[in-house]
PDB file of all heavy atoms in Angstrom:
ATOM      1  N   ALA A  30       2.802   5.479 -11.018  1.00 97.00           N
ATOM      2  CA  ALA A  30       1.552   6.123 -11.448  1.00 97.00           C
ATOM      3  C   ALA A  30       0.417   5.136 -11.404  1.00 97.00           C
ATOM      4  O   ALA A  30       0.591   3.956 -11.644  1.00 97.00           O
ATOM      5  CB  ALA A  30       1.797   6.596 -12.877  1.00 97.00           C
ATOM      6  N   SER A  33      -6.605   3.021 -13.727  1.00 97.00           N
ATOM      7  CA  SER A  33      -7.902   2.784 -13.067  1.00 97.00           C
ATOM      8  C   SER A  33      -7.908   1.525 -12.159  1.00 97.00           C
ATOM      9  O   SER A  33      -8.905   1.164 -11.671  1.00 97.00           O
ATOM     10  CB  SER A  33      -8.931   2.582 -14.181  1.00 97.00           C
ATOM     11  OG  SER A  33      -9.072   3.641 -14.984  1.00 97.00           O
ATOM     12  N   GLY A  34      -6.712   0.900 -12.080  1.00 95.00           N
ATOM     13  CA  GLY A  34      -6.647  -0.298 -11.162  1.00 95.00           C
ATOM     14  C   GLY A  34      -7.328  -1.485 -11.788  1.00 95.00           C
ATOM     15  O   GLY A  34      -7.772  -2.404 -11.029  1.00 95.00           O
ATOM     16  N   HIS A  35      -7.433  -1.612 -13.071  1.00 94.00           N
ATOM     17  CA  HIS A  35      -8.079  -2.763 -13.678  1.00 94.00           C
ATOM     18  C   HIS A  35      -7.144  -3.912 -14.112  1.00 94.00           C
ATOM     19  O   HIS A  35      -7.545  -4.735 -14.935  1.00 94.00           O
ATOM     20  CB  HIS A  35      -8.865  -2.247 -14.900  1.00 94.00           C
ATOM     21  CG  HIS A  35     -10.275  -1.869 -14.492  1.00 94.00           C
ATOM     22  ND1 HIS A  35     -10.505  -0.797 -13.674  1.00 94.00           N
ATOM     23  CD2 HIS A  35     -11.490  -2.318 -14.804  1.00 94.00           C
ATOM     24  CE1 HIS A  35     -11.778  -0.682 -13.476  1.00 94.00           C
ATOM     25  NE2 HIS A  35     -12.418  -1.601 -14.172  1.00 94.00           N
ATOM     26  N   SER A  36      -5.920  -3.861 -13.590  1.00 95.00           N
ATOM     27  CA  SER A  36      -5.048  -5.049 -13.887  1.00 95.00           C
ATOM     28  C   SER A  36      -5.303  -6.103 -12.900  1.00 95.00           C
ATOM     29  O   SER A  36      -5.635  -5.816 -11.750  1.00 95.00           O
ATOM     30  CB  SER A  36      -3.555  -4.588 -13.859  1.00 95.00           C
ATOM     31  OG  SER A  36      -3.346  -3.673 -14.915  1.00 95.00           O
ATOM     32  N   ASP A  93     -12.216  -4.846 -24.737  1.00 93.00           N
ATOM     33  CA  ASP A  93     -13.628  -5.119 -24.298  1.00 93.00           C
ATOM     34  C   ASP A  93     -14.320  -4.119 -23.483  1.00 93.00           C
ATOM     35  O   ASP A  93     -15.558  -4.025 -23.399  1.00 93.00           O
ATOM     36  CB  ASP A  93     -13.599  -6.392 -23.445  1.00 93.00           C
ATOM     37  CG  ASP A  93     -13.416  -7.668 -24.240  1.00 93.00           C
ATOM     38  OD1 ASP A  93     -13.516  -7.563 -25.421  1.00 93.00           O
ATOM     39  OD2 ASP A  93     -13.149  -8.712 -23.615  1.00 93.00           O
ATOM     40  N   GLN A  97     -10.397   1.661 -18.372  1.00 98.00           N
ATOM     41  CA  GLN A  97      -8.955   1.893 -18.162  1.00 98.00           C
ATOM     42  C   GLN A  97      -8.586   3.305 -18.560  1.00 98.00           C
ATOM     43  O   GLN A  97      -9.219   3.940 -19.367  1.00 98.00           O
ATOM     44  CB  GLN A  97      -8.123   0.953 -19.081  1.00 98.00           C
ATOM     45  CG  GLN A  97      -8.440  -0.493 -19.012  1.00 98.00           C
ATOM     46  CD  GLN A  97      -9.350  -0.928 -20.115  1.00 98.00           C
ATOM     47  OE1 GLN A  97     -10.380  -0.232 -20.408  1.00 98.00           O
ATOM     48  NE2 GLN A  97      -9.171  -2.102 -20.686  1.00 98.00           N
ATOM     49  N   THR A  98      -7.447   3.821 -17.982  1.00 98.00           N
ATOM     50  CA  THR A  98      -6.910   5.027 -18.478  1.00 98.00           C
ATOM     51  C   THR A  98      -6.065   4.737 -19.750  1.00 98.00           C
ATOM     52  O   THR A  98      -5.672   3.625 -19.933  1.00 98.00           O
ATOM     53  CB  THR A  98      -5.977   5.648 -17.396  1.00 98.00           C
ATOM     54  OG1 THR A  98      -4.926   4.716 -17.172  1.00 98.00           O
ATOM     55  CG2 THR A  98      -6.690   6.014 -16.130  1.00 98.00           C
ATOM     56  N   GLY A 101      -2.577   3.619 -18.574  1.00 98.00           N
ATOM     57  CA  GLY A 101      -2.655   2.267 -17.993  1.00 98.00           C
ATOM     58  C   GLY A 101      -2.868   1.194 -19.100  1.00 98.00           C
ATOM     59  O   GLY A 101      -2.214   0.186 -19.080  1.00 98.00           O
ATOM     60  N   THR A 105       0.323  -1.826 -20.286  1.00 98.00           N
ATOM     61  CA  THR A 105       0.268  -3.337 -20.217  1.00 98.00           C
ATOM     62  C   THR A 105       0.043  -3.994 -21.492  1.00 98.00           C
ATOM     63  O   THR A 105      -0.159  -5.169 -21.521  1.00 98.00           O
ATOM     64  CB  THR A 105      -0.779  -3.740 -19.103  1.00 98.00           C
ATOM     65  OG1 THR A 105      -2.021  -3.244 -19.701  1.00 98.00           O
ATOM     66  CG2 THR A 105      -0.556  -3.142 -17.766  1.00 98.00           C
ATOM     67  N   THR A 107      -2.711  -3.470 -23.578  1.00 98.00           N
ATOM     68  CA  THR A 107      -4.106  -3.810 -23.769  1.00 98.00           C
ATOM     69  C   THR A 107      -4.470  -3.816 -25.283  1.00 98.00           C
ATOM     70  O   THR A 107      -4.010  -2.953 -26.070  1.00 98.00           O
ATOM     71  CB  THR A 107      -4.973  -2.773 -23.047  1.00 98.00           C
ATOM     72  OG1 THR A 107      -4.701  -2.967 -21.601  1.00 98.00           O
ATOM     73  CG2 THR A 107      -6.462  -2.937 -23.296  1.00 98.00           C
ATOM     74  N   HIS A 108      -5.250  -4.772 -25.650  1.00 98.00           N
ATOM     75  CA  HIS A 108      -5.578  -5.045 -27.082  1.00 98.00           C
ATOM     76  C   HIS A 108      -7.017  -5.408 -27.257  1.00 98.00           C
ATOM     77  O   HIS A 108      -7.671  -5.820 -26.313  1.00 98.00           O
ATOM     78  CB  HIS A 108      -4.673  -6.158 -27.661  1.00 98.00           C
ATOM     79  CG  HIS A 108      -4.991  -7.434 -26.864  1.00 98.00           C
ATOM     80  ND1 HIS A 108      -5.983  -8.306 -27.363  1.00 98.00           N
ATOM     81  CD2 HIS A 108      -4.557  -7.953 -25.698  1.00 98.00           C
ATOM     82  CE1 HIS A 108      -6.065  -9.342 -26.487  1.00 98.00           C
ATOM     83  NE2 HIS A 108      -5.164  -9.121 -25.439  1.00 98.00           N
ATOM     84  N   ILE A 158       4.206   8.554 -17.758  1.00 98.00           N
ATOM     85  CA  ILE A 158       3.664   9.154 -19.008  1.00 98.00           C
ATOM     86  C   ILE A 158       2.792  10.320 -18.591  1.00 98.00           C
ATOM     87  O   ILE A 158       1.913  10.176 -17.735  1.00 98.00           O
ATOM     88  CB  ILE A 158       2.811   8.055 -19.790  1.00 98.00           C
ATOM     89  CG1 ILE A 158       3.641   6.887 -20.166  1.00 98.00           C
ATOM     90  CG2 ILE A 158       2.154   8.685 -20.947  1.00 98.00           C
ATOM     91  CD1 ILE A 158       2.810   5.638 -20.666  1.00 98.00           C
ATOM     92  N   ARG A 325      -8.931 -14.154 -29.308  1.00 98.00           N
ATOM     93  CA  ARG A 325      -8.838 -12.933 -30.212  1.00 98.00           C
ATOM     94  C   ARG A 325      -7.500 -12.974 -30.983  1.00 98.00           C
ATOM     95  O   ARG A 325      -6.683 -13.842 -30.759  1.00 98.00           O
ATOM     96  CB  ARG A 325      -8.814 -11.682 -29.366  1.00 98.00           C
ATOM     97  CG  ARG A 325     -10.171 -11.480 -28.628  1.00 98.00           C
ATOM     98  CD  ARG A 325     -10.244 -10.217 -27.789  1.00 98.00           C
ATOM     99  NE  ARG A 325      -9.625 -10.432 -26.473  1.00 98.00           N
ATOM    100  CZ  ARG A 325      -9.622  -9.503 -25.483  1.00 98.00           C
ATOM    101  NH1 ARG A 325     -10.202  -8.352 -25.711  1.00 98.00           N
ATOM    102  NH2 ARG A 325      -9.127  -9.772 -24.316  1.00 98.00           N
ATOM    103  N   HIS A 374      -0.084 -11.629 -20.989  1.00 98.00           N
ATOM    104  CA  HIS A 374      -0.549 -10.208 -20.925  1.00 98.00           C
ATOM    105  C   HIS A 374       0.063  -9.613 -19.583  1.00 98.00           C
ATOM    106  O   HIS A 374      -0.025 -10.259 -18.510  1.00 98.00           O
ATOM    107  CB  HIS A 374      -2.045 -10.178 -20.850  1.00 98.00           C
ATOM    108  CG  HIS A 374      -2.705  -8.848 -20.901  1.00 98.00           C
ATOM    109  ND1 HIS A 374      -2.484  -7.837 -20.062  1.00 98.00           N
ATOM    110  CD2 HIS A 374      -3.631  -8.377 -21.799  1.00 98.00           C
ATOM    111  CE1 HIS A 374      -3.211  -6.794 -20.350  1.00 98.00           C
ATOM    112  NE2 HIS A 374      -3.941  -7.109 -21.431  1.00 98.00           N
TER     113      HIS A 374
HETATM  114  C1  FAD B 501     -13.128  -6.398 -16.802  1.00 84.30           C
HETATM  115  C2  FAD B 501     -11.743  -6.210 -17.532  1.00 84.30           C
HETATM  116  C3  FAD B 501     -11.715  -6.288 -18.854  1.00 84.30           C
HETATM  117  C4  FAD B 501     -10.497  -6.161 -19.581  1.00 84.30           C
HETATM  118  N1  FAD B 501     -10.491  -6.221 -20.891  1.00 84.30           N
HETATM  119  C5  FAD B 501      -9.257  -6.224 -21.536  1.00 84.30           C
HETATM  120  C6  FAD B 501      -9.219  -6.322 -22.978  1.00 84.30           C
HETATM  121  O1  FAD B 501     -10.242  -6.402 -23.660  1.00 84.30           O
HETATM  122  N2  FAD B 501      -7.975  -6.378 -23.537  1.00 84.30           N
HETATM  123  C7  FAD B 501      -6.792  -6.316 -22.825  1.00 84.30           C
HETATM  124  O2  FAD B 501      -5.802  -6.364 -23.382  1.00 84.30           O
HETATM  125  N3  FAD B 501      -6.884  -6.110 -21.558  1.00 84.30           N
HETATM  126  C8  FAD B 501      -8.053  -6.042 -20.854  1.00 84.30           C
HETATM  127  N4  FAD B 501      -8.091  -5.913 -19.504  1.00 84.30           N
HETATM  128  C9  FAD B 501      -6.821  -5.562 -18.753  1.00 84.30           C
HETATM  129  C10 FAD B 501      -6.644  -4.091 -18.671  1.00 84.30           C
HETATM  130  O3  FAD B 501      -6.861  -3.417 -19.908  1.00 84.30           O
HETATM  131  C11 FAD B 501      -5.142  -3.746 -18.274  1.00 84.30           C
HETATM  132  O4  FAD B 501      -4.818  -4.418 -17.105  1.00 84.30           O
HETATM  133  C12 FAD B 501      -4.876  -2.231 -18.148  1.00 84.30           C
HETATM  134  O5  FAD B 501      -3.550  -2.016 -17.836  1.00 84.30           O
HETATM  135  C13 FAD B 501      -5.727  -1.601 -17.068  1.00 84.30           C
HETATM  136  O6  FAD B 501      -5.599  -0.180 -17.212  1.00 84.30           O
HETATM  137  P1  FAD B 501      -5.666   0.706 -15.926  1.00 84.30           P
HETATM  138  O7  FAD B 501      -5.892   2.162 -16.327  1.00 84.30           O
HETATM  139  O8  FAD B 501      -6.700   0.138 -14.973  1.00 84.30           O
HETATM  140  O9  FAD B 501      -4.231   0.601 -15.373  1.00 84.30           O
HETATM  141  P2  FAD B 501      -3.685   0.012 -14.017  1.00 84.30           P
HETATM  142  O10 FAD B 501      -4.096  -1.457 -13.832  1.00 84.30           O
HETATM  143  O11 FAD B 501      -4.058   0.914 -12.873  1.00 84.30           O
HETATM  144  O12 FAD B 501      -2.131   0.154 -14.183  1.00 84.30           O
HETATM  145  C14 FAD B 501      -1.460  -0.623 -15.183  1.00 84.30           C
HETATM  146  C15 FAD B 501      -0.034  -0.250 -15.363  1.00 84.30           C
HETATM  147  O13 FAD B 501       0.014   1.023 -15.960  1.00 84.30           O
HETATM  148  C16 FAD B 501       0.901   1.858 -15.196  1.00 84.30           C
HETATM  149  N5  FAD B 501       0.487   3.298 -15.450  1.00 84.30           N
HETATM  150  C17 FAD B 501      -0.674   3.815 -15.315  1.00 84.30           C
HETATM  151  N6  FAD B 501      -0.643   5.098 -15.590  1.00 84.30           N
HETATM  152  C18 FAD B 501       0.665   5.415 -15.958  1.00 84.30           C
HETATM  153  C19 FAD B 501       1.314   6.570 -16.389  1.00 84.30           C
HETATM  154  N7  FAD B 501       0.762   7.715 -16.419  1.00 84.30           N
HETATM  155  N8  FAD B 501       2.663   6.514 -16.625  1.00 84.30           N
HETATM  156  C20 FAD B 501       3.267   5.254 -16.571  1.00 84.30           C
HETATM  157  N9  FAD B 501       2.697   4.174 -16.160  1.00 84.30           N
HETATM  158  C21 FAD B 501       1.363   4.195 -15.847  1.00 84.30           C
HETATM  159  C22 FAD B 501       0.737   1.458 -13.775  1.00 84.30           C
HETATM  160  O14 FAD B 501       1.719   1.860 -12.957  1.00 84.30           O
HETATM  161  C23 FAD B 501       0.637  -0.066 -13.966  1.00 84.30           C
HETATM  162  O15 FAD B 501       2.006  -0.526 -14.131  1.00 84.30           O
HETATM  163  C24 FAD B 501      -9.299  -6.009 -18.823  1.00 84.30           C
HETATM  164  C25 FAD B 501      -9.387  -5.909 -17.374  1.00 84.30           C
HETATM  165  C26 FAD B 501     -10.576  -6.027 -16.709  1.00 84.30           C
HETATM  166  C27 FAD B 501     -10.647  -5.898 -15.230  1.00 84.30           C
END
Side-chain angles (χ1 to χ4, degrees):
S33 301
H35 272 63
S36 294
D93 284 346
Q97 309 95 319
T98 59
T105 60
T107 294
H108 62 90
I158 299 168
R325 295 180 278 187
H374 188 303

